[in-house]
Amino acid sequence: MNRNLTLLLLTLGVNYFSFGQLNYGFKVGVTQSKTSESLASVYQDMNFKGGFQVGTFLDYELLKNLNLRPALQLTQKGYEAIEGNKEGPFYWYRNWSLTYLELPVDFIYNIPLSKTIGLYAGIGPVVGVGLFGSGKGIIKGTDSAGQIHTQEGAGHEPFKKPGFKNIDIGADFLAGLQLKRILLTASYNHGLLNALNYEHDIQTTRHRSFALSLGYIIRNH
């Protein structure tokens, strides 16, 4: 009974996808990312940090002008923050580069302009898994006796506690231009979870990432 039901579901799935148009391709791009942080109810916006994005995607036609576009991509995120003056009594510098394996699942609405040119916009969830990264920090401060102390550190295992969480979930927003098989896409990833993995959740950090990518459809039938 279970075997027959499984075969029936597989057959229905194959038939369902055979009615639509299935494309796949690859993309490469650049990112500008930062984090928004709140510590003890004080909100702080970090500086943007450049990175890369590379991946592959599927594009399945659900309805006329409505496609489902899941992707598997490596995305570099992070931030740079400078507080105080390097020559002054207080200075705090942080610089993190974090690489995630991401799975965005976007619903795409297409606006054809001609047979070969079109616009599109989309939205969907994205799940990221932290793979590797590196960071650097410098903090200089003055104690009660007026003595200046400086500490420097570097990290190459950012996804170990205390550090960043391995899982990140966000919302993906995108818009772009399609010219035949070429896709030019601008996207924004809005992190929804606290990216930090600390013992006490006194600090909240969420990723904010923009990407500009160039894609190419290598199969179209």
Side-chain angles (χ1 to χ4, degrees):
M1 179 66 180
N2 290 336
R3 180 180 179 183
N4 293 334
L5 180 59
T6 302
L7 290 174
L8 177 60
L9 292 175
L10 288 173
T11 302
L12 290 175
V14 171
N15 290 336
Y16 174 77
F17 279 98
S18 67
F19 284 109
Q21 185 176 8
L22 180 65
N23 303 317
Y24 65 90
F26 65 90
K27 60 180 179 178
V28 294
V30 294
T31 62
Q32 286 286 324
S33 61
K34 62 179 181 178
T35 62
S36 62
E37 294 190 356
S38 62
L39 177 60
S41 300
V42 177
Y43 177 82
Q44 182 178 8
D45 219 12
M46 301 304 179
N47 298 327
F48 281 105
K49 182 178 178 62
F52 69 89
Q53 186 178 88
V54 59
T56 183
F57 62 88
L58 294 175
D59 191 82
Y60 179 72
E61 185 181 75
L62 294 173
L63 301 169
K64 182 179 180 181
N65 296 334
L66 182 63
N67 288 28
L68 179 66
R69 186 178 296 170
L72 190 63
Q73 61 197 29
L74 287 175
T75 301
Q76 192 175 55
K77 298 181 180 181
Y79 67 91
E80 183 180 37
I82 301 176
E83 298 180 53
N85 191 314
K86 193 172 184 180
E87 307 301 327
F90 176 77
Y91 178 70
W92 190 13
Y93 173 76
R94 288 164 287 167
N95 190 330
W96 281 101
S97 294
L98 308 168
T99 300
Y100 289 83
L101 178 64
E102 292 185 323
L103 175 63
V105 181
D106 293 310
F107 291 89
I108 307 296
Y109 183 75
N110 299 288
I111 307 172
L113 302 179
S114 69
K115 290 184 178 180
T116 58
I117 301 176
L119 301 175
Y120 54 88
I123 185 173
V126 54
V127 177
V129 178
L131 298 181
F132 53 86
S134 62
K136 180 181 180 180
I138 303 174
I139 186 168
K140 180 174 71 171
T142 305
D143 62 19
S144 58
Q147 298 294 318
I148 296 177
H149 301 273
T150 301
Q151 290 184 334
E152 296 188 27
H156 300 283
E157 296 181 332
F159 297 106
K160 284 191 174 182
K161 192 174 183 178
F164 293 87
K165 293 178 181 177
N166 287 93
I167 301 297
D168 189 45
I169 297 177
D172 202 34
F173 305 88
L174 61 89
L177 171 69
Q178 179 170 357
L179 178 61
K180 293 185 178 179
R181 298 191 180 198
I182 298 175
L183 303 175
L184 180 61
T185 306
S187 62
Y188 169 64
N189 183 295
H190 187 88
L192 301 176
L193 299 182
N194 183 7
L196 294 180
N197 188 13
Y198 287 174
E199 189 69 30
H200 303 288
D201 292 334
I202 61 173
Q203 181 177 352
T204 300
T205 295
R206 292 183 174 88
H207 288 296
R208 308 286 186 254
S209 180
F210 295 90
L212 182 63
S213 64
L214 183 66
Y216 184 73
I217 298 174
I218 58 178
R219 182 183 178 187
N220 191 350
H221 64 270

